[in-house]
PDB file of all heavy atoms in Angstrom:
ATOM      1  N   LEU Z  65       8.054  14.337   6.326  1.00 89.00           N
ATOM      2  CA  LEU Z  65       7.871  15.612   5.792  1.00 89.00           C
ATOM      3  C   LEU Z  65       8.862  15.949   4.842  1.00 89.00           C
ATOM      4  O   LEU Z  65      10.195  15.819   4.967  1.00 89.00           O
ATOM      5  CB  LEU Z  65       7.961  16.693   7.012  1.00 89.00           C
ATOM      6  CG  LEU Z  65       7.720  18.130   6.639  1.00 89.00           C
ATOM      7  CD1 LEU Z  65       6.328  18.309   6.147  1.00 89.00           C
ATOM      8  CD2 LEU Z  65       8.081  19.029   7.938  1.00 89.00           C
ATOM      9  N   MET Z  66       8.460  16.525   3.574  1.00 92.00           N
ATOM     10  CA  MET Z  66       9.259  16.710   2.457  1.00 92.00           C
ATOM     11  C   MET Z  66       9.120  18.100   1.972  1.00 92.00           C
ATOM     12  O   MET Z  66       8.043  18.735   2.074  1.00 92.00           O
ATOM     13  CB  MET Z  66       9.069  15.572   1.311  1.00 92.00           C
ATOM     14  CG  MET Z  66       9.319  14.199   1.761  1.00 92.00           C
ATOM     15  SD  MET Z  66       8.873  13.064   0.427  1.00 92.00           S
ATOM     16  CE  MET Z  66       7.241  13.067   0.500  1.00 92.00           C
ATOM     17  N   ALA Z  67      10.230  18.457   1.184  1.00 91.00           N
ATOM     18  CA  ALA Z  67      10.042  19.953   0.608  1.00 91.00           C
ATOM     19  C   ALA Z  67      11.116  20.077  -0.495  1.00 91.00           C
ATOM     20  O   ALA Z  67      11.909  19.249  -0.656  1.00 91.00           O
ATOM     21  CB  ALA Z  67      10.297  21.016   1.766  1.00 91.00           C
ATOM     22  N   ASN Z  68      10.894  21.324  -1.124  1.00 92.00           N
ATOM     23  CA  ASN Z  68      11.790  21.732  -2.127  1.00 92.00           C
ATOM     24  C   ASN Z  68      11.734  23.200  -2.261  1.00 92.00           C
ATOM     25  O   ASN Z  68      10.741  23.825  -1.841  1.00 92.00           O
ATOM     26  CB  ASN Z  68      11.624  21.102  -3.519  1.00 92.00           C
ATOM     27  CG  ASN Z  68      10.290  21.417  -4.094  1.00 92.00           C
ATOM     28  OD1 ASN Z  68       9.185  20.941  -3.801  1.00 92.00           O
ATOM     29  ND2 ASN Z  68      10.295  22.437  -5.004  1.00 92.00           N
ATOM     30  N   ASP Z  69      12.631  23.808  -2.932  1.00 94.00           N
ATOM     31  CA  ASP Z  69      12.651  25.209  -3.334  1.00 94.00           C
ATOM     32  C   ASP Z  69      12.196  25.227  -4.710  1.00 94.00           C
ATOM     33  O   ASP Z  69      12.554  24.369  -5.548  1.00 94.00           O
ATOM     34  CB  ASP Z  69      14.133  25.862  -3.160  1.00 94.00           C
ATOM     35  CG  ASP Z  69      14.495  26.092  -1.788  1.00 94.00           C
ATOM     36  OD1 ASP Z  69      13.625  26.548  -0.981  1.00 94.00           O
ATOM     37  OD2 ASP Z  69      15.645  25.789  -1.391  1.00 94.00           O
ATOM     38  N   ILE Z  70      11.435  26.297  -5.041  1.00 90.00           N
ATOM     39  CA  ILE Z  70      11.000  26.403  -6.344  1.00 90.00           C
ATOM     40  C   ILE Z  70      12.085  27.136  -7.221  1.00 90.00           C
ATOM     41  O   ILE Z  70      12.548  28.303  -6.832  1.00 90.00           O
ATOM     42  CB  ILE Z  70       9.603  27.308  -6.463  1.00 90.00           C
ATOM     43  CG1 ILE Z  70       8.526  26.468  -5.677  1.00 90.00           C
ATOM     44  CG2 ILE Z  70       9.243  27.580  -7.891  1.00 90.00           C
ATOM     45  CD1 ILE Z  70       8.185  25.162  -6.226  1.00 90.00           C
ATOM     46  N   PRO Z  71      12.447  26.604  -8.340  1.00 89.00           N
ATOM     47  CA  PRO Z  71      13.537  27.381  -9.155  1.00 89.00           C
ATOM     48  C   PRO Z  71      12.839  28.685  -9.506  1.00 89.00           C
ATOM     49  O   PRO Z  71      11.660  28.881  -9.846  1.00 89.00           O
ATOM     50  CB  PRO Z  71      13.631  26.386 -10.432  1.00 89.00           C
ATOM     51  CG  PRO Z  71      13.205  25.025 -10.040  1.00 89.00           C
ATOM     52  CD  PRO Z  71      12.053  25.350  -8.870  1.00 89.00           C
ATOM     53  N   ALA Z  72      13.732  29.606  -9.758  1.00 85.00           N
ATOM     54  CA  ALA Z  72      13.354  30.959 -10.140  1.00 85.00           C
ATOM     55  C   ALA Z  72      12.638  31.000 -11.472  1.00 85.00           C
ATOM     56  O   ALA Z  72      11.687  31.745 -11.705  1.00 85.00           O
ATOM     57  CB  ALA Z  72      14.564  31.908 -10.310  1.00 85.00           C
ATOM     58  N   SER Z  73      12.869  30.133 -12.375  1.00 83.00           N
ATOM     59  CA  SER Z  73      12.252  30.005 -13.779  1.00 83.00           C
ATOM     60  C   SER Z  73      10.827  29.645 -13.488  1.00 83.00           C
ATOM     61  O   SER Z  73       9.976  29.948 -14.446  1.00 83.00           O
ATOM     62  CB  SER Z  73      12.842  29.056 -14.577  1.00 83.00           C
ATOM     63  OG  SER Z  73      12.902  27.727 -14.034  1.00 83.00           O
ATOM     64  N   MET Z  74      10.332  29.101 -12.396  1.00 83.00           N
ATOM     65  CA  MET Z  74       8.959  28.766 -12.168  1.00 83.00           C
ATOM     66  C   MET Z  74       8.177  29.880 -11.438  1.00 83.00           C
ATOM     67  O   MET Z  74       6.994  29.702 -11.201  1.00 83.00           O
ATOM     68  CB  MET Z  74       8.765  27.421 -11.517  1.00 83.00           C
ATOM     69  CG  MET Z  74       9.379  26.282 -12.216  1.00 83.00           C
ATOM     70  SD  MET Z  74       9.255  24.638 -11.361  1.00 83.00           S
ATOM     71  CE  MET Z  74       7.537  24.380 -11.470  1.00 83.00           C
ATOM     72  N   GLY Z  75       8.873  30.975 -11.075  1.00 80.00           N
ATOM     73  CA  GLY Z  75       8.108  31.957 -10.330  1.00 80.00           C
ATOM     74  C   GLY Z  75       8.142  31.720  -8.816  1.00 80.00           C
ATOM     75  O   GLY Z  75       8.554  30.698  -8.392  1.00 80.00           O
ATOM     76  N   ARG Z  76       7.559  32.660  -8.259  1.00 80.00           N
ATOM     77  CA  ARG Z  76       7.457  32.504  -6.674  1.00 80.00           C
ATOM     78  C   ARG Z  76       6.297  31.806  -6.298  1.00 80.00           C
ATOM     79  O   ARG Z  76       5.212  31.817  -7.074  1.00 80.00           O
ATOM     80  CB  ARG Z  76       7.442  33.890  -6.014  1.00 80.00           C
ATOM     81  CG  ARG Z  76       8.824  34.608  -6.061  1.00 80.00           C
ATOM     82  CD  ARG Z  76       8.878  35.893  -5.339  1.00 80.00           C
ATOM     83  NE  ARG Z  76       8.535  35.672  -3.788  1.00 80.00           N
ATOM     84  CZ  ARG Z  76       9.419  35.339  -2.993  1.00 80.00           C
ATOM     85  NH1 ARG Z  76      10.575  34.951  -3.225  1.00 80.00           N
ATOM     86  NH2 ARG Z  76       9.066  35.242  -1.692  1.00 80.00           N
ATOM     87  N   VAL Z  77       6.384  31.110  -5.167  1.00 74.00           N
ATOM     88  CA  VAL Z  77       5.157  30.344  -4.591  1.00 74.00           C
ATOM     89  C   VAL Z  77       4.390  31.421  -3.763  1.00 74.00           C
ATOM     90  O   VAL Z  77       5.013  32.208  -3.068  1.00 74.00           O
ATOM     91  CB  VAL Z  77       5.571  29.302  -3.738  1.00 74.00           C
ATOM     92  CG1 VAL Z  77       4.495  28.653  -2.901  1.00 74.00           C
ATOM     93  CG2 VAL Z  77       6.385  28.185  -4.518  1.00 74.00           C
ATOM     94  N   ASN Z  78       3.064  31.461  -3.944  1.00 73.00           N
ATOM     95  CA  ASN Z  78       2.287  32.306  -2.996  1.00 73.00           C
ATOM     96  C   ASN Z  78       2.310  31.681  -1.673  1.00 73.00           C
ATOM     97  O   ASN Z  78       1.874  30.472  -1.432  1.00 73.00           O
ATOM     98  CB  ASN Z  78       0.785  32.324  -3.622  1.00 73.00           C
ATOM     99  CG  ASN Z  78      -0.061  33.251  -2.703  1.00 73.00           C
ATOM    100  OD1 ASN Z  78       0.171  33.406  -1.360  1.00 73.00           O
ATOM    101  ND2 ASN Z  78      -1.207  33.775  -3.317  1.00 73.00           N
ATOM    102  N   GLU Z  79       2.937  32.306  -0.777  1.00 66.00           N
ATOM    103  CA  GLU Z  79       3.235  31.628   0.558  1.00 66.00           C
ATOM    104  C   GLU Z  79       1.865  31.595   1.485  1.00 66.00           C
ATOM    105  O   GLU Z  79       1.947  31.105   2.532  1.00 66.00           O
ATOM    106  CB  GLU Z  79       4.268  32.441   1.267  1.00 66.00           C
ATOM    107  CG  GLU Z  79       5.470  32.288   0.628  1.00 66.00           C
ATOM    108  CD  GLU Z  79       6.853  32.924   1.235  1.00 66.00           C
ATOM    109  OE1 GLU Z  79       6.620  33.771   2.223  1.00 66.00           O
ATOM    110  OE2 GLU Z  79       7.915  32.724   0.795  1.00 66.00           O
TER     111      GLU Z  79
END
Side-chain angles (χ1 to χ4, degrees):
L65 181 63
M66 296 178 283
N68 66 279
D69 288 314
I70 299 298
S73 63
M74 295 180 75
R76 290 187 57 81
V77 173
N78 180 333
E79 294 183 351

